[in-house]
Amino acid sequence: MQLDGRTHSLQAAYAARQAVFVDQPAYVRIANDLRARIVSGQLAAGTRLPSRQELAVEYDAAQGVISEATKLLTREGLLVSRPGAGMFVRQRPQRRSLVRSWFRERQAGSPFRQQMEEQGRRGSWEYASETLQAPAEVRERLGLGEPDGDRHDVMRTTYTFSSDDEGPWMLSTSWEPLELTKGTPIAWPEAGEHAGLGVTHRMAAIGITVDAWDEEVWARVASPEEAKHLGIGAGSIVMVVERSYFAGELAVETCDIVVPAETTKLVYNGPVGDS
Amino acid sequence: MQLDGRTHSLQAAYAARQAVFVDQPAYVRIANDLRARIVSGQLAAGTRLPSRQELAVEYDAAQGVISEATKLLTREGLLVSRPGAGMFVRQRPQRRSLVRSWFRERQAGSPFRQQMEEQGRRGSWEYASETLQAPAEVRERLGLGEPDGDRHDVMRTTYTFSSDDEGPWMLSTSWEPLELTKGTPIAWPEAGEHAGLGVTHRMAAIGITVDAWDEEVWARVASPEEAKHLGIGAGSIVMVVERSYFAGELAVETCDIVVPAETTKLVYNGPVGDS
DNA sequence: TCGAATTTGTGCGTATGTATC
DNA sequence: GGATACATACGCACAAATTCG
């Protein structure tokens, strides 16, 4: 194995070590066993697992090892634990579909109809808006130039979306250039006649035609704040969507959307061979 | 707070300290502190962290707590640890863009041009094909009916994509209904004249016009196998793309794509107000 | 109503195996 | 080969939440 640059040597060595570990640590084996019992239905959704102590006896392992194993399954979304009560097999993580694009309707039995209906049933949402000077990353996404002293140049609005039956399920932070909206009726996204109508409608009200969108999707571990807001465990996975709206070449809004990966999937579709 | 006779004074003092810090566990606080030092650049990429022992002294905590904190940061992709060597600040996870859709080109400086070029430089890829009977989930995605005895009804092809400089970076499993391709020159995706030309081209060769695609995106913890194949750590995050191609209402192929979330982002874009 | 038992989350100290230097 | 470092494991302990009589 060649070790040239520092970065490469680190990652290569790490990968190599992984491959060498033929037999797995105890907490992984135990997690595998429990996972098999869960997905096979032997441990049905809602049932309570034996306590840490009992599992430690059953698997002949220390309680810390059991704890490590169940933490793994919790991050995978298979378990939910409540201090004082116990650990429970989670309901099949039925994922909420977040339809991001569609160009035509598909067969009636397909998810699309249901999803649109589901998205149609509105939940509640909270927001907070303020003006400030955009940070570097947002400047780039919006195509803003260098900052002018301390002058505020964007409107930032943070949202928390909640469904009626369950809790919060989506966070988002939207950025709009004040250069476009300052002094217009839509400067504050959630005030006035066009409140809550979406970027496309609002921009249309001041003569800007939004005609394109970009989305960049990735996933990462939730920050402690995000985990708290979304009601998910620390170390859980979230998906991040960086969305931008354009009018021609002009970026008119950019937005970070954060959803729990356990319970959400993003749905895109489109034509083949478009232009 | 009751302290029985066996409790050591050291533990008593610690317990008292615990009561004060009910807000966040010690390992989270330590992780936050280290994270701040990393993202601020105070701990630059490539530098080695103090050893666990040293950190335990520095933060006045047990080694297990330090271990817990650094495990968090490792899952976040900020640290890489090598047994025997130490823990190192990782290079900024520069993400490879996987462009999934675009309907027009955007400004020259934007990521799109670069991304297309980057995707253009081909790496290598391995594959394996076989026929079998589709499992239930695939049957649903392809719109297949009930299985006919043990009869094979799909062609499954698994791929491992590798870039030339780095290792494997994408896994995928493709399923095609034998009903469409059996006996045709394209039955085996990677054999014959149309090998490796993509579903759209291959289907066109037998008179099927692919006109639409769906993608469903989510994220989860990598399976041990996937982690090994992709050269990422156990417990790392992967994104999963379920892609299907359609000819009218007919699903002609469906495919699971798995990429490491640390190093990949998915890029979509489209028009506003399409029909 | 209230106290006792149980359970999880977290923490301590220590020890061993294996990888690296 | 010896020293160092991380990953894992053991056993124990305590706080907070929950459950139940």
Side-chain angles (χ1 to χ4, degrees), chain B residues 141-177:
Chain B
R141 282 158 63 177
L142 289 177
L144 301 181
E146 290 303 308
D148 173 14
D150 294 340
R151 202 162 67 89
H152 289 191
D153 47 18
V154 291
M155 175 74 69
R156 184 184 67 184
T157 308
T158 58
Y159 294 89
T160 303
F161 295 89
S162 305
S163 75
D164 295 329
D165 38 353
E166 308 161 42
W169 65 278
M170 180 166 100
L171 308 175
S172 91
T173 306
S174 164
W175 310 76
E176 292 177 357

mmCIF file of all heavy atoms in Angstrom, chain B residues 141-177:
data_model
loop_
_atom_site.group_PDB
_atom_site.id
_atom_site.type_symbol
_atom_site.label_atom_id
_atom_site.label_comp_id
_atom_site.label_asym_id
_atom_site.label_seq_id
_atom_site.Cartn_x
_atom_site.Cartn_y
_atom_site.Cartn_z
ATOM 1 N N ARG B 141 -42.169 -2.578 -7.748
ATOM 2 C CA ARG B 141 -41.613 -1.450 -8.493
ATOM 3 C C ARG B 141 -41.712 -1.660 -9.996
ATOM 4 O O ARG B 141 -41.855 -0.702 -10.756
ATOM 5 C CB ARG B 141 -40.161 -1.232 -8.069
ATOM 6 C CG ARG B 141 -40.060 -0.509 -6.722
ATOM 7 C CD ARG B 141 -38.737 -0.732 -6.033
ATOM 8 N NE ARG B 141 -37.601 -0.215 -6.785
ATOM 9 C CZ ARG B 141 -36.350 -0.241 -6.351
ATOM 10 N NH1 ARG B 141 -36.093 -0.741 -5.153
ATOM 11 N NH2 ARG B 141 -35.376 0.238 -7.071
ATOM 12 N N LEU B 142 -41.614 -2.914 -10.431
ATOM 13 C CA LEU B 142 -41.659 -3.182 -11.867
ATOM 14 C C LEU B 142 -43.071 -3.497 -12.352
ATOM 15 O O LEU B 142 -43.290 -3.706 -13.545
ATOM 16 C CB LEU B 142 -40.722 -4.350 -12.210
ATOM 17 C CG LEU B 142 -39.227 -4.059 -12.112
ATOM 18 C CD1 LEU B 142 -38.416 -5.312 -12.393
ATOM 19 C CD2 LEU B 142 -38.836 -2.951 -13.083
ATOM 20 N N GLY B 143 -44.003 -3.533 -11.419
ATOM 21 C CA GLY B 143 -45.361 -3.855 -11.832
ATOM 22 C C GLY B 143 -45.520 -5.301 -12.286
ATOM 23 O O GLY B 143 -46.382 -5.605 -13.112
ATOM 24 N N LEU B 144 -44.693 -6.191 -11.759
ATOM 25 C CA LEU B 144 -44.830 -7.609 -12.090
ATOM 26 C C LEU B 144 -45.985 -8.198 -11.292
ATOM 27 O O LEU B 144 -46.309 -7.735 -10.199
ATOM 28 C CB LEU B 144 -43.527 -8.360 -11.762
ATOM 29 C CG LEU B 144 -42.261 -7.880 -12.465
ATOM 30 C CD1 LEU B 144 -41.080 -8.743 -12.059
ATOM 31 C CD2 LEU B 144 -42.448 -7.902 -13.973
ATOM 32 N N GLY B 145 -46.564 -9.250 -11.822
ATOM 33 C CA GLY B 145 -47.660 -9.905 -11.121
ATOM 34 C C GLY B 145 -47.130 -10.919 -10.119
ATOM 35 O O GLY B 145 -45.991 -10.833 -9.658
ATOM 36 N N GLU B 146 -47.955 -11.858 -9.777
ATOM 37 C CA GLU B 146 -47.552 -12.901 -8.853
ATOM 38 C C GLU B 146 -46.478 -13.767 -9.512
ATOM 39 O O GLU B 146 -46.486 -13.963 -10.730
ATOM 40 C CB GLU B 146 -48.760 -13.769 -8.489
ATOM 41 C CG GLU B 146 -49.767 -13.031 -7.607
ATOM 42 C CD GLU B 146 -49.111 -12.527 -6.336
ATOM 43 O OE1 GLU B 146 -48.451 -13.326 -5.639
ATOM 44 O OE2 GLU B 146 -49.225 -11.318 -6.048
ATOM 45 N N PRO B 147 -45.560 -14.289 -8.713
ATOM 46 C CA PRO B 147 -44.513 -15.149 -9.286
ATOM 47 C C PRO B 147 -45.119 -16.435 -9.832
ATOM 48 O O PRO B 147 -46.102 -16.950 -9.305
ATOM 49 C CB PRO B 147 -43.583 -15.429 -8.091
ATOM 50 C CG PRO B 147 -44.398 -15.113 -6.879
ATOM 51 C CD PRO B 147 -45.374 -14.058 -7.280
ATOM 52 N N ASP B 148 -44.495 -16.954 -10.882
ATOM 53 C CA ASP B 148 -44.945 -18.183 -11.516
ATOM 54 C C ASP B 148 -44.039 -19.323 -11.071
ATOM 55 O O ASP B 148 -42.986 -19.564 -11.653
ATOM 56 C CB ASP B 148 -44.895 -18.009 -13.041
ATOM 57 C CG ASP B 148 -45.199 -19.311 -13.770
ATOM 58 O OD1 ASP B 148 -45.703 -20.259 -13.121
ATOM 59 O OD2 ASP B 148 -44.937 -19.376 -14.989
ATOM 60 N N GLY B 149 -44.435 -19.978 -10.003
ATOM 61 C CA GLY B 149 -43.594 -21.047 -9.475
ATOM 62 C C GLY B 149 -42.231 -20.487 -9.091
ATOM 63 O O GLY B 149 -42.151 -19.494 -8.381
ATOM 64 N N ASP B 150 -41.203 -21.144 -9.550
ATOM 65 C CA ASP B 150 -39.846 -20.670 -9.282
ATOM 66 C C ASP B 150 -39.250 -19.980 -10.505
ATOM 67 O O ASP B 150 -38.045 -19.713 -10.546
ATOM 68 C CB ASP B 150 -38.930 -21.855 -8.907
ATOM 69 C CG ASP B 150 -39.354 -22.478 -7.589
ATOM 70 O OD1 ASP B 150 -40.055 -21.786 -6.833
ATOM 71 O OD2 ASP B 150 -38.973 -23.632 -7.330
ATOM 72 N N ARG B 151 -40.058 -19.697 -11.470
ATOM 73 C CA ARG B 151 -39.525 -19.218 -12.736
ATOM 74 C C ARG B 151 -38.808 -17.875 -12.576
ATOM 75 O O ARG B 151 -39.306 -16.949 -11.940
ATOM 76 C CB ARG B 151 -40.663 -19.072 -13.751
ATOM 77 C CG ARG B 151 -40.187 -19.093 -15.203
ATOM 78 C CD ARG B 151 -41.371 -19.385 -16.112
ATOM 79 N NE ARG B 151 -42.328 -18.297 -16.097
ATOM 80 C CZ ARG B 151 -42.248 -17.255 -16.932
ATOM 81 N NH1 ARG B 151 -41.289 -17.198 -17.819
ATOM 82 N NH2 ARG B 151 -43.147 -16.299 -16.876
ATOM 83 N N HIS B 152 -37.646 -17.801 -13.178
ATOM 84 C CA HIS B 152 -36.898 -16.546 -13.157
ATOM 85 C C HIS B 152 -37.629 -15.529 -14.018
ATOM 86 O O HIS B 152 -38.071 -15.846 -15.119
ATOM 87 C CB HIS B 152 -35.484 -16.770 -13.709
ATOM 88 C CG HIS B 152 -34.624 -17.565 -12.784
ATOM 89 N ND1 HIS B 152 -33.268 -17.708 -12.956
ATOM 90 C CD2 HIS B 152 -34.918 -18.253 -11.658
ATOM 91 C CE1 HIS B 152 -32.770 -18.455 -12.001
ATOM 92 N NE2 HIS B 152 -33.749 -18.802 -11.203
ATOM 93 N N ASP B 153 -37.743 -14.318 -13.520
ATOM 94 C CA ASP B 153 -38.469 -13.313 -14.292
ATOM 95 C C ASP B 153 -37.754 -11.976 -14.376
ATOM 96 O O ASP B 153 -38.278 -11.035 -14.973
ATOM 97 C CB ASP B 153 -39.880 -13.127 -13.737
ATOM 98 C CG ASP B 153 -39.896 -12.973 -12.227
ATOM 99 O OD1 ASP B 153 -38.824 -12.673 -11.660
ATOM 100 O OD2 ASP B 153 -40.968 -13.146 -11.620
ATOM 101 N N VAL B 154 -36.569 -11.861 -13.774
ATOM 102 C CA VAL B 154 -35.805 -10.613 -13.918
ATOM 103 C C VAL B 154 -34.332 -10.914 -14.138
ATOM 104 O O VAL B 154 -33.824 -11.969 -13.762
ATOM 105 C CB VAL B 154 -35.927 -9.693 -12.673
ATOM 106 C CG1 VAL B 154 -37.325 -9.131 -12.538
ATOM 107 C CG2 VAL B 154 -35.499 -10.430 -11.428
ATOM 108 N N MET B 155 -33.663 -9.962 -14.755
ATOM 109 C CA MET B 155 -32.207 -9.971 -14.860
ATOM 110 C C MET B 155 -31.679 -8.975 -13.831
ATOM 111 O O MET B 155 -32.024 -7.791 -13.868
ATOM 112 C CB MET B 155 -31.772 -9.540 -16.266
ATOM 113 C CG MET B 155 -30.279 -9.397 -16.453
ATOM 114 S SD MET B 155 -29.428 -10.986 -16.554
ATOM 115 C CE MET B 155 -30.029 -11.586 -18.134
ATOM 116 N N ARG B 156 -30.864 -9.484 -12.924
ATOM 117 C CA ARG B 156 -30.272 -8.588 -11.921
ATOM 118 C C ARG B 156 -28.800 -8.370 -12.251
ATOM 119 O O ARG B 156 -28.067 -9.337 -12.481
ATOM 120 C CB ARG B 156 -30.393 -9.170 -10.518
ATOM 121 C CG ARG B 156 -29.864 -8.198 -9.451
ATOM 122 C CD ARG B 156 -29.885 -8.816 -8.081
ATOM 123 N NE ARG B 156 -28.942 -9.928 -7.962
ATOM 124 C CZ ARG B 156 -28.821 -10.690 -6.886
ATOM 125 N NH1 ARG B 156 -29.603 -10.490 -5.849
ATOM 126 N NH2 ARG B 156 -27.932 -11.663 -6.854
ATOM 127 N N THR B 157 -28.397 -7.120 -12.269
ATOM 128 C CA THR B 157 -26.993 -6.796 -12.506
ATOM 129 C C THR B 157 -26.505 -5.889 -11.388
ATOM 130 O O THR B 157 -27.124 -4.871 -11.103
ATOM 131 C CB THR B 157 -26.816 -6.083 -13.860
ATOM 132 O OG1 THR B 157 -27.454 -6.851 -14.894
ATOM 133 C CG2 THR B 157 -25.345 -5.907 -14.183
ATOM 134 N N THR B 158 -25.416 -6.326 -10.766
ATOM 135 C CA THR B 158 -24.829 -5.491 -9.712
ATOM 136 C C THR B 158 -23.556 -4.838 -10.240
ATOM 137 O O THR B 158 -22.774 -5.478 -10.946
ATOM 138 C CB THR B 158 -24.488 -6.329 -8.469
ATOM 139 O OG1 THR B 158 -23.580 -7.366 -8.862
ATOM 140 C CG2 THR B 158 -25.727 -6.967 -7.885
ATOM 141 N N TYR B 159 -23.385 -3.577 -9.898
ATOM 142 C CA TYR B 159 -22.238 -2.812 -10.377
ATOM 143 C C TYR B 159 -21.444 -2.253 -9.198
ATOM 144 O O TYR B 159 -22.011 -1.912 -8.159
ATOM 145 C CB TYR B 159 -22.688 -1.616 -11.221
ATOM 146 C CG TYR B 159 -23.367 -1.966 -12.522
ATOM 147 C CD1 TYR B 159 -24.745 -2.156 -12.569
ATOM 148 C CD2 TYR B 159 -22.635 -2.092 -13.697
ATOM 149 C CE1 TYR B 159 -25.383 -2.461 -13.759
ATOM 150 C CE2 TYR B 159 -23.265 -2.396 -14.890
ATOM 151 C CZ TYR B 159 -24.642 -2.582 -14.917
ATOM 152 O OH TYR B 159 -25.252 -2.885 -16.098
ATOM 153 N N THR B 160 -20.152 -2.142 -9.402
ATOM 154 C CA THR B 160 -19.306 -1.361 -8.503
ATOM 155 C C THR B 160 -18.546 -0.364 -9.360
ATOM 156 O O THR B 160 -17.760 -0.755 -10.226
ATOM 157 C CB THR B 160 -18.309 -2.244 -7.743
ATOM 158 O OG1 THR B 160 -19.019 -3.239 -7.026
ATOM 159 C CG2 THR B 160 -17.476 -1.400 -6.777
ATOM 160 N N PHE B 161 -18.783 0.911 -9.135
ATOM 161 C CA PHE B 161 -18.111 1.951 -9.893
ATOM 162 C C PHE B 161 -16.932 2.488 -9.094
ATOM 163 O O PHE B 161 -17.067 2.800 -7.915
ATOM 164 C CB PHE B 161 -19.071 3.107 -10.200
ATOM 165 C CG PHE B 161 -20.194 2.714 -11.109
ATOM 166 C CD1 PHE B 161 -21.379 2.212 -10.590
ATOM 167 C CD2 PHE B 161 -20.065 2.833 -12.480
ATOM 168 C CE1 PHE B 161 -22.416 1.836 -11.425
ATOM 169 C CE2 PHE B 161 -21.101 2.458 -13.326
ATOM 170 C CZ PHE B 161 -22.278 1.965 -12.792
ATOM 171 N N SER B 162 -15.803 2.600 -9.749
ATOM 172 C CA SER B 162 -14.616 3.143 -9.094
ATOM 173 C C SER B 162 -14.054 4.272 -9.942
ATOM 174 O O SER B 162 -14.106 4.215 -11.173
ATOM 175 C CB SER B 162 -13.549 2.062 -8.942
ATOM 176 O OG SER B 162 -14.066 0.940 -8.263
ATOM 177 N N SER B 163 -13.531 5.276 -9.268
ATOM 178 C CA SER B 163 -12.834 6.311 -10.029
ATOM 179 C C SER B 163 -11.372 5.902 -10.133
ATOM 180 O O SER B 163 -10.886 5.066 -9.382
ATOM 181 C CB SER B 163 -12.970 7.668 -9.346
ATOM 182 O OG SER B 163 -12.143 7.722 -8.213
ATOM 183 N N ASP B 164 -10.671 6.501 -11.060
ATOM 184 C CA ASP B 164 -9.316 6.052 -11.321
ATOM 185 C C ASP B 164 -8.376 6.357 -10.169
ATOM 186 O O ASP B 164 -7.526 5.561 -9.815
ATOM 187 C CB ASP B 164 -8.801 6.704 -12.608
ATOM 188 C CG ASP B 164 -9.608 6.225 -13.803
ATOM 189 O OD1 ASP B 164 -10.081 5.076 -13.751
ATOM 190 O OD2 ASP B 164 -9.769 6.989 -14.759
ATOM 191 N N ASP B 165 -8.551 7.531 -9.571
ATOM 192 C CA ASP B 165 -7.600 7.924 -8.534
ATOM 193 C C ASP B 165 -8.010 7.399 -7.164
ATOM 194 O O ASP B 165 -7.182 6.938 -6.396
ATOM 195 C CB ASP B 165 -7.449 9.451 -8.509
ATOM 196 C CG ASP B 165 -8.770 10.148 -8.756
ATOM 197 O OD1 ASP B 165 -9.757 9.441 -9.070
ATOM 198 O OD2 ASP B 165 -8.823 11.370 -8.624
ATOM 199 N N GLU B 166 -9.292 7.486 -6.844
ATOM 200 C CA GLU B 166 -9.733 6.983 -5.559
ATOM 201 C C GLU B 166 -10.350 5.615 -5.758
ATOM 202 O O GLU B 166 -10.357 5.079 -6.849
ATOM 203 C CB GLU B 166 -10.738 7.959 -4.942
ATOM 204 C CG GLU B 166 -10.199 9.376 -4.917
ATOM 205 C CD GLU B 166 -11.314 10.393 -4.765
ATOM 206 O OE1 GLU B 166 -12.214 10.141 -3.977
ATOM 207 O OE2 GLU B 166 -11.262 11.426 -5.445
ATOM 208 N N GLY B 167 -10.905 5.072 -4.738
ATOM 209 C CA GLY B 167 -11.457 3.725 -4.838
ATOM 210 C C GLY B 167 -12.886 3.712 -5.329
ATOM 211 O O GLY B 167 -13.313 4.612 -6.029
ATOM 212 N N PRO B 168 -13.625 2.665 -4.968
ATOM 213 C CA PRO B 168 -15.037 2.561 -5.343
ATOM 214 C C PRO B 168 -15.836 3.692 -4.697
ATOM 215 O O PRO B 168 -15.560 4.095 -3.581
ATOM 216 C CB PRO B 168 -15.463 1.211 -4.746
ATOM 217 C CG PRO B 168 -14.201 0.472 -4.488
ATOM 218 C CD PRO B 168 -13.166 1.516 -4.198
ATOM 219 N N TRP B 169 -16.801 4.177 -5.398
ATOM 220 C CA TRP B 169 -17.572 5.298 -4.854
ATOM 221 C C TRP B 169 -19.069 5.134 -5.110
ATOM 222 O O TRP B 169 -19.864 5.921 -4.629
ATOM 223 C CB TRP B 169 -17.085 6.607 -5.460
ATOM 224 C CG TRP B 169 -17.324 6.699 -6.929
ATOM 225 C CD1 TRP B 169 -16.551 6.173 -7.913
ATOM 226 C CD2 TRP B 169 -18.415 7.347 -7.573
ATOM 227 N NE1 TRP B 169 -17.104 6.439 -9.135
ATOM 228 C CE2 TRP B 169 -18.242 7.167 -8.964
ATOM 229 C CE3 TRP B 169 -19.515 8.087 -7.123
ATOM 230 C CZ2 TRP B 169 -19.140 7.673 -9.901
ATOM 231 C CZ3 TRP B 169 -20.408 8.585 -8.058
ATOM 232 C CH2 TRP B 169 -20.205 8.386 -9.432
ATOM 233 N N MET B 170 -19.465 4.108 -5.836
ATOM 234 C CA MET B 170 -20.898 3.911 -6.062
ATOM 235 C C MET B 170 -21.193 2.446 -6.298
ATOM 236 O O MET B 170 -20.471 1.770 -7.021
ATOM 237 C CB MET B 170 -21.359 4.760 -7.253
ATOM 238 C CG MET B 170 -22.831 4.625 -7.575
ATOM 239 S SD MET B 170 -23.436 5.903 -8.708
ATOM 240 C CE MET B 170 -23.449 5.018 -10.242
ATOM 241 N N LEU B 171 -22.249 1.959 -5.636
ATOM 242 C CA LEU B 171 -22.734 0.604 -5.870
ATOM 243 C C LEU B 171 -24.123 0.708 -6.475
ATOM 244 O O LEU B 171 -24.871 1.637 -6.150
ATOM 245 C CB LEU B 171 -22.823 -0.167 -4.542
ATOM 246 C CG LEU B 171 -21.587 -0.188 -3.656
ATOM 247 C CD1 LEU B 171 -21.895 -0.887 -2.341
ATOM 248 C CD2 LEU B 171 -20.441 -0.861 -4.376
ATOM 249 N N SER B 172 -24.441 -0.207 -7.342
ATOM 250 C CA SER B 172 -25.826 -0.194 -7.805
ATOM 251 C C SER B 172 -26.273 -1.589 -8.187
ATOM 252 O O SER B 172 -25.468 -2.461 -8.542
ATOM 253 C CB SER B 172 -26.024 0.790 -8.960
ATOM 254 O OG SER B 172 -25.837 0.162 -10.192
ATOM 255 N N THR B 173 -27.560 -1.804 -8.055
ATOM 256 C CA THR B 173 -28.186 -3.070 -8.400
ATOM 257 C C THR B 173 -29.367 -2.774 -9.305
ATOM 258 O O THR B 173 -30.268 -2.050 -8.915
ATOM 259 C CB THR B 173 -28.675 -3.808 -7.138
ATOM 260 O OG1 THR B 173 -27.598 -3.940 -6.225
ATOM 261 C CG2 THR B 173 -29.207 -5.172 -7.498
ATOM 262 N N SER B 174 -29.317 -3.323 -10.502
ATOM 263 C CA SER B 174 -30.329 -3.030 -11.511
ATOM 264 C C SER B 174 -31.201 -4.256 -11.757
ATOM 265 O O SER B 174 -30.712 -5.387 -11.728
ATOM 266 C CB SER B 174 -29.632 -2.606 -12.809
ATOM 267 O OG SER B 174 -30.514 -2.664 -13.901
ATOM 268 N N TRP B 175 -32.478 -4.027 -12.001
ATOM 269 C CA TRP B 175 -33.413 -5.132 -12.257
ATOM 270 C C TRP B 175 -34.183 -4.834 -13.540
ATOM 271 O O TRP B 175 -34.781 -3.770 -13.673
ATOM 272 C CB TRP B 175 -34.420 -5.268 -11.114
ATOM 273 C CG TRP B 175 -33.817 -5.315 -9.748
ATOM 274 C CD1 TRP B 175 -33.304 -4.273 -9.038
ATOM 275 C CD2 TRP B 175 -33.670 -6.465 -8.922
ATOM 276 N NE1 TRP B 175 -32.847 -4.697 -7.815
ATOM 277 C CE2 TRP B 175 -33.065 -6.040 -7.717
ATOM 278 C CE3 TRP B 175 -34.003 -7.814 -9.074
ATOM 279 C CZ2 TRP B 175 -32.771 -6.922 -6.680
ATOM 280 C CZ3 TRP B 175 -33.720 -8.684 -8.042
ATOM 281 C CH2 TRP B 175 -33.107 -8.241 -6.856
ATOM 282 N N GLU B 176 -34.169 -5.805 -14.458
ATOM 283 C CA GLU B 176 -34.932 -5.647 -15.691
ATOM 284 C C GLU B 176 -35.848 -6.852 -15.873
ATOM 285 O O GLU B 176 -35.412 -7.999 -15.693
ATOM 286 C CB GLU B 176 -34.002 -5.546 -16.910
ATOM 287 C CG GLU B 176 -33.184 -4.276 -16.942
ATOM 288 C CD GLU B 176 -32.217 -4.227 -18.111
ATOM 289 O OE1 GLU B 176 -32.145 -5.217 -18.868
ATOM 290 O OE2 GLU B 176 -31.532 -3.208 -18.264
ATOM 291 N N PRO B 177 -37.088 -6.632 -16.278
ATOM 292 C CA PRO B 177 -38.024 -7.757 -16.475
ATOM 293 C C PRO B 177 -37.606 -8.588 -17.673
ATOM 294 O O PRO B 177 -37.410 -8.049 -18.767
ATOM 295 C CB PRO B 177 -39.368 -7.059 -16.748
ATOM 296 C CG PRO B 177 -39.166 -5.609 -16.445
ATOM 297 C CD PRO B 177 -37.713 -5.330 -16.553
#
